[in-house]
């Protein structure tokens, strides 16, 4: 996601920002109530393959906060904030 934001910043091309938004919206749709995500999902039905979850990384947090700044949409930063609560 961060690379899409960097490409948008360097080129000004909207398609890169749009790709970043699509990625973050997918993350939002798949986010669990505690702010984590399942590690792997089945492509055919969207169910998790295993019960393991992904906790937010610094890179993911930078992506979500950067996207929030680029779009003016605070919901992306809020998603990152929910996920960070698991680490505290």
């Amino acid at each position: 996601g961060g690379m899409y934001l960097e490409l948008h910043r360097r080129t000004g091309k909207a398609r890169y920002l749009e790709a970043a938004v699509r990625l973050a919206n997918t993350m939002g749709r798949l986010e669990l109530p505690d702010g984590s995500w399942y590690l792997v999902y089945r492509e055919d039905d969207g169910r998790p393959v295993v019960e393991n979850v992904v906790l937010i990384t610094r890179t993911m947090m930078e992506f979500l906060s950067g996207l929030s700044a680029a779009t003016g949409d605070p919901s992306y930063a809020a998603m990152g904030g929910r996920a960070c609560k698991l680490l505290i």
Side-chain angles (χ1 to χ4, degrees):
M3 288 307 298
Y4 287 130
L5 289 180
E6 184 63 19
L7 286 166
H8 176 259
R9 187 184 70 74
R10 290 182 184 220
T11 68
K13 293 183 179 181
R15 69 179 180 213
Y16 297 120
L17 183 59
E18 292 163 0
V21 166
R22 284 193 307 274
L23 175 59
N25 288 345
T26 299
M27 290 173 67
R29 192 176 73 252
L30 298 173
E31 182 184 18
L32 299 171
D34 67 1
S36 65
W37 298 268
Y38 286 118
L39 183 61
V40 181
Y41 293 86
R42 296 179 194 281
E43 187 176 350
D44 59 347
D45 62 10
R47 292 183 311 146
V49 174
V50 294
E51 296 294 318
N52 298 28
V53 296
V54 174
L55 300 178
I56 197 163
T57 64
R58 185 188 77 177
T59 304
M60 292 167 70
M61 187 65 219
E62 290 171 351
F63 165 59
L64 293 169
S65 62
L67 185 58
S68 187
T71 63
D73 185 341
S75 68
Y76 300 119
M79 185 188 327
R82 286 189 299 276
C84 281
K85 288 181 181 178
L86 287 172
L87 303 178
I88 298 173

